[in-house]
């Protein structure tokens, strides 16, 4: 009995943790969604009428049901990469099963997946701006004269949010869950209070109102979708954070608390608008009695900070995984927790996001103005995720193809309706996430292409590793043998490290034990504890002291090299190694723009510029600074 109670407590703790991280973005959508739909300054305004209010609230409910509950919670979360979810996990699953498809299909899906990941960076910039702005705008509801303080207060909150990122979220994370439980309970209770004023709003739960509004007033409803999509922003977080909390915690948190609370809030706001159209000025905050509005603003601000925190750490994770998979350079990553591997801090991304978010706040100056940009980022990511999910499901599930095709067609029809509606707002802000995504996409694909060019040229310069080792054995008099262990980091097992070649050809010396070490990032988040992390290759000779070691890491792991090398067995390494006294050698490559037609000139410049962001290899692999030697060379792109 006590064991079952302990298990229940553990599961409850995981659900509470998920509530504090996963649902922050989508859980704060009720603050601004309904108000944005009926915004009189919208270029395609929705007239305020009883029929339209019923139709809009019904569309919100069924959009959340179809996109979040069905597409993500019930379907997408069933496809994972060893527990990890999100669009990067789908990309790795597609890469893993690429042999089953033609080259054109593989390339098209890979490009689409990269663009979806690029859209997420736009989402990471827009979410903190619109979320915190929408909460602080509640000050105008409390006291209209406080309107001038909205932008400064928002800027200060965002600045503080990004300044504390380097300290990690471990300490703050323990209170995130309870805050969000308080948040969802509060908005649910306020929603019930609104419904009590006009109980007839409950009829909006019927799909007939949504379909009647969409079909009977398509000219209005289609444009309204550009704002209604705000109700599902953050759906990607449900999937992307699955690896941290597990599918069960996310499903329970969504179905038993988040979904009911959000639906009650939307219904309550709809009832409030029906009661008095003047309540459109701020239906979310006006649900609360006057004495509770300032506390609600403070609670909403805390909730939107949590929503922003979730998407910021998500940007760190996507950046780290993209770098591990070869789509971005290796950036400096700080791990902020000794117990949780997922808590990381990427300084370069942090400052880029801070600059971008503050720019958006001062440029757009209101959550309504940012809404169109936000919707475009969300709809694009959702549509791409849906498409990739069904492709992966087709490759891995035994479900009949006709059933998957029917499901894909139905869900993509809904997704593309939202995309089309947001495209009508292109000149009103929807261009922003597309521009951000296109920029990120160009950088990612350019880096991937440039990296392949450099790899090919570097392999040519390095030459065959086995031939090089055979040459050392055939001509032992050319090098002096010194005691100790040296470790040369290399990209694979086929070519000789430039640093090793230079050490032999110029210094005419090598250590008694030489480890040529390659880091292999697998398309799984983490290497299971029961699998070997290292693979040893004697390179054809069992007594020359030269071996090749492949060290395996999952793409979500920290590539800490020394602990992995300490696990090597003396019998497989041609003698006892001195890892804790070993010297580490790195090959530093200087890139130069050449005349070879490998890439367009502007892409060569972009690739070389991006390479300057590459983190120091010694720090990335956690090598001891006092025992690391760097030897340089240059390669033309």
């Amino acid at each position: 009995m006590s064991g079952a109670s302990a298990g229940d407590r553990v599961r409850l703790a995981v659900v509470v943790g998920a509530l504090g991280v996963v649902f922050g973005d989508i859980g704060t959508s009720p603050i601004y969604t309904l108000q944005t739909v009926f915004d009189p300054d919208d270029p395609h305004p929705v007239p305020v009428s009883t029929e339209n209010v019923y139709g809009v609230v019904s569309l919100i409910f069924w959009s959340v049901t179809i996109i979040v509950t069905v597409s993500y919670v019930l379907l997408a979360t069933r496809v994972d990469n060893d527990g990890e979810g999100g669009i990067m996990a789908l990309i790795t699953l597609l890469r893993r099963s690429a042999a089953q498809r033609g080259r054109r299909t593989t390339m098209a899906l890979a490009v689409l997946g990269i663009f979806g990941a690029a859209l997420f960076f736009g989402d990471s910039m827009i979410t903190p701006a619109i979320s915190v702005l929408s909460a602080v705008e509640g000050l105008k509801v409390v006291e209209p004269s406080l309107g001038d303080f909205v932008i400064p207060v928002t800027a200060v909150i965002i600045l503080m949010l990004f300044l504390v990122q380097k300290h990690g979220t471990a300490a703050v994370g323990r209170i995130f869950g309870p805050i969000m439980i308080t948040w969802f309970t509060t908005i649910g209770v306020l929603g019930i209070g609104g419904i009590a004023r006009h109980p007839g709003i409950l009829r909006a739960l019927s799909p007939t109102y949504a379909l009647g509004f969409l079909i009977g007033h398509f000219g209005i409803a289609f444009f309204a979708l550009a704002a209604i999509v705000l109700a599902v922003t953050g759906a990607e977080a449900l999937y992307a954070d699955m690896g941290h909390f597990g599918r069960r915690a996310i499903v329970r948190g969504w179905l038993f608390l988040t979904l009911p609370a959000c639906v009650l809030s939307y219904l309550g706001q709809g009832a409030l608008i029906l009661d008095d159209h003047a309540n459109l000025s701020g239906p979310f905050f006006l649900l609360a009695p006057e004495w509770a509005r300032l506390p609600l603003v403070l609670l909403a601000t805390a909730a939107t900070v949590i929503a922003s925190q979730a998407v910021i750490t998500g940007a760190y994770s996507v950046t780290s995984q993209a770098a591990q998979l070869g789509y971005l350079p290796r950036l400096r990553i700080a791990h902020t927790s000794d117990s949780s591997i997922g808590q990381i801090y990427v300084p370069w991304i942090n400052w880029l996001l801070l600059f971008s978010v503050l720019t958006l706040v001062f440029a757009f100056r209101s959550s309504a103005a940012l809404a169109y940009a936000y919707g475009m980022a969300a709809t694009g990511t959702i549509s791409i995720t849906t498409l990739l999910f069904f492709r992966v499901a087709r490759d891995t599930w035994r479900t009949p193809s006709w059933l998957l095709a029917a499901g894909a067609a139905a869900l993509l029809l809904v997704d593309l309706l939202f995309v089309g509606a947001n495209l009508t707002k292109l000149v009103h802000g929807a261009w922003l996430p597309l521009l951000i995504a296109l920029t990120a996409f160009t950088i990612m694909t350019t880096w991937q292409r440039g990296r392949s060019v450099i790899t090919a040229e570097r392999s040519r310069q390095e030459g065959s590793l086995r031939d090089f080792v055979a040459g050392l054995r055939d001509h032992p008099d050319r090098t002096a043998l010194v005691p100790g262990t040296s470790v040369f980091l290399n990209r694979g097992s086929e070519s000789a490290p430039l640093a090793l070649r230079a050490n032999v050809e110029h210094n005419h010396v090598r250590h008694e034990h030489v480890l040529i070490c390659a880091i292999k990032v697998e398309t799984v988040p983490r290497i299971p504890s029961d699998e070997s992390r290292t693979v040893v290759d004697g390179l054809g000779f069992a007594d020359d002291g030269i071996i090749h070691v492949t060290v395996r890491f999952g793409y979500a792991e920290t590539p800490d090299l020394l602990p992995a090398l300490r696990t090597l067995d003396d019998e497989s390494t041609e003698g006892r190694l001195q890892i804790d006294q070993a010297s580490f050698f790195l090959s530093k490559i200087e890139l130069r723009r050449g005349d070879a037609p490998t890439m367009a000139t502007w892409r060569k410049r972009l690739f070389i510029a991006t390479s300057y962001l590459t983190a120091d290899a010694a720090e990335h692999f956690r090598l001891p600074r006092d025992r690391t030697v760097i030897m340089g060379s240059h390669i033309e792109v």
Side-chain angles (χ1 to χ4, degrees):
M1 185 71 177
S2 60
S5 299
D8 291 340
R9 285 196 297 270
V10 171
R11 286 193 289 270
L12 180 61
V14 174
V15 174
V16 172
L19 287 168
V21 176
V22 176
F23 304 106
D25 192 357
I26 197 167
T28 53
S29 295
I31 298 176
Y32 45 78
T33 300
L34 205 57
Q35 182 179 355
T36 303
V37 173
F38 292 104
D39 183 6
D41 296 326
D42 189 299
H44 305 97
V46 178
V48 184
S49 68
T50 300
E51 185 179 10
N52 287 351
V53 171
Y54 274 96
V56 166
V57 173
S58 186
L59 263 182
I60 289 175
F61 171 73
W62 286 103
S63 297
V64 170
T65 299
I66 294 171
I67 293 176
V68 183
T69 306
V70 176
S71 290
Y72 277 92
V73 175
L74 299 182
L75 291 179
T77 55
R78 297 182 183 276
V79 172
D80 64 88
N81 182 25
D82 289 346
E84 292 286 334
I87 202 164
M88 291 303 296
L90 289 175
I91 292 174
T92 55
L93 289 172
L94 288 168
R95 288 175 55 171
R96 188 182 300 171
S97 59
Q100 302 175 16
R101 297 183 300 271
R103 178 175 175 80
R104 289 185 179 180
T105 303
T106 301
M107 289 297 296
L109 291 172
V111 168
L112 195 62
I114 296 170
F115 188 75
L119 272 171
F120 183 78
F121 287 109
D123 193 10
S124 304
M125 296 175 186
I126 299 170
T127 294
I130 190 173
S131 297
V132 178
L133 259 176
S134 66
V136 179
E137 283 171 349
L139 290 173
K140 294 189 292 186
V141 178
V142 175
E143 176 55 58
S145 63
L146 296 177
D148 293 338
F149 293 95
V150 170
I151 300 300
V153 170
T154 299
V156 170
I157 292 173
I158 288 172
L159 180 62
M160 293 175 61
L161 174 64
F162 281 96
L163 287 178
V164 301
Q165 292 301 313
K166 62 182 178 182
H167 300 295
T169 59
V172 184
R174 286 191 290 269
I175 64 172
F176 278 5
I179 288 177
M180 292 309 295
I181 290 175
T182 304
W183 167 256
F184 289 126
T185 303
T186 300
I187 67 173
V189 169
L190 292 176
I192 292 172
I195 294 170
R197 300 186 187 186
H198 199 107
I201 192 65
L202 292 172
R203 293 199 297 269
L205 296 177
S206 169
T208 57
Y209 284 89
L211 291 173
F213 180 59
L214 187 61
I215 297 173
H217 303 82
F218 186 78
I220 297 174
F222 177 71
F223 293 113
L225 291 176
I228 289 173
V229 73
L230 298 177
V232 301
T233 54
E236 182 68 18
L238 304 178
Y239 190 24
D241 287 324
M242 188 170 66
H244 296 288
F245 303 100
R247 180 177 186 270
R248 183 174 297 180
I250 291 174
V251 171
R252 289 179 177 179
W254 172 251
L255 293 179
F256 295 123
L257 182 59
T258 307
L259 176 61
C262 290
V263 169
L264 288 172
S265 180
Y266 288 126
L267 290 170
Q269 292 180 58
L272 197 68
I273 296 170
L274 289 174
D275 192 48
D276 185 351
H277 292 175
N279 290 327
L280 270 173
S281 60
F284 176 81
F285 292 102
L286 289 174
L287 275 176
E290 188 171 351
W291 61 267
R293 287 172 189 167
L294 183 57
L296 182 60
V297 170
L298 298 177
L299 179 60
T301 302
T304 54
V305 167
I306 293 172
S308 302
Q309 177 68 59
V311 78
I312 291 168
T313 53
Y316 297 157
S317 297
V318 170
T319 299
S320 174
Q321 294 178 23
Q324 295 277 35
L325 294 173
Y327 295 113
L328 286 174
R330 183 181 63 243
L331 299 175
R332 186 170 76 85
I333 296 175
H335 289 259
T336 59
S337 172
D338 295 329
S339 58
S340 178
I341 193 170
Q343 293 184 14
I344 62 175
Y345 168 65
V346 186
W348 197 90
I349 293 296
N350 187 70
W351 303 125
L352 174 64
L353 288 178
L354 172 60
F355 174 79
S356 302
V357 172
L358 287 178
T359 300
L360 292 177
V361 168
F362 287 111
F364 285 83
R365 305 189 68 82
S366 74
S367 59
L370 271 169
Y372 311 127
Y374 199 23
M376 192 70 251
T379 54
T381 305
I382 289 169
S383 300
I384 292 173
T385 298
T386 301
L387 184 60
L388 297 186
F389 157 74
F390 277 103
R391 182 67 220 207
V392 172
R394 179 185 172 186
D395 291 341
T396 56
W397 290 5
R398 297 181 178 178
T399 306
S401 296
W402 66 266
L403 185 58
L404 286 175
L411 293 178
L412 282 172
L413 175 62
V414 174
D415 294 345
L416 293 178
L417 270 175
F418 281 107
V419 171
N422 277 273
L423 286 175
T424 66
K425 311 293 186 182
L426 204 58
V427 297
H428 304 287
W431 57 268
L432 178 63
L434 294 179
L435 177 62
I436 295 172
L438 185 61
T439 302
F441 175 79
T442 302
I443 292 172
M444 293 168 77
T445 53
T446 298
W447 181 259
Q448 185 187 40
R449 171 58 183 161
R451 188 169 174 265
S452 66
V453 171
I454 293 301
T455 298
E457 176 60 21
R458 185 170 176 174
S459 297
R460 188 189 65 79
Q461 292 188 17
E462 289 174 338
S464 169
L465 174 59
R466 293 183 182 273
D467 291 347
F468 182 76
V469 172
L472 291 177
R473 186 181 180 86
D474 294 341
H475 304 283
D477 55 317
R478 293 183 180 178
T479 56
L481 199 64
V482 297
T485 301
S486 60
V487 180
F488 292 83
L489 265 66
N490 201 30
R491 298 165 299 102
S493 60
E494 300 301 321
S495 58
L498 291 175
L500 174 59
R501 186 177 289 277
N503 203 37
V504 169
E505 294 177 354
H506 297 288
N507 298 331
H508 305 291
V509 65
R510 75 173 179 88
H511 287 80
E512 179 183 8
H513 294 286
V514 176
L515 268 72
I516 301 166
C517 184
I519 310 297
K520 183 179 181 181
V521 179
E522 303 283 6
T523 57
V524 296
R526 297 170 185 83
I527 302 299
S529 57
D530 59 347
E531 289 187 16
S532 175
R533 189 173 288 278
T534 58
V535 179
V536 179
D537 183 354
L539 299 175
F541 305 102
D543 58 353
D544 60 353
I546 304 176
I547 63 173
H548 183 278
V549 179
T550 300
V551 183
R552 303 165 61 231
F553 292 100
Y555 67 79
E557 288 186 295
T558 304
D560 195 350
L561 190 58
L562 262 67
L565 293 180
R566 292 191 188 108
T567 64
L568 290 171
D569 184 1
D570 293 346
E571 295 182 1
S572 64
T573 57
E574 302 180 13
R576 177 174 291 276
L577 303 177
Q578 298 174 322
I579 296 299
D580 291 320
Q581 291 79 40
S583 298
F584 292 83
F585 292 82
L586 301 176
S587 304
K588 182 176 177 61
I589 305 299
E590 178 185 348
L591 301 178
R592 299 178 182 176
R593 184 165 54 88
D595 297 327
T598 53
M599 291 190 293
T601 301
W602 67 269
R603 294 191 75 186
K604 291 183 179 182
R605 295 180 186 275
L606 176 60
F607 176 71
I608 294 173
T610 306
S611 71
Y612 292 123
L613 302 176
T614 304
D616 179 71
E619 180 179 354
H620 183 72
F621 296 115
R622 299 193 173 185
L623 304 181
R625 286 284 186 180
D626 57 342
R627 292 187 280 121
T628 300
V629 180
I630 299 176
M631 307 186 74
S633 182
H634 74 269
I635 291 179
E636 290 188 350
V637 181

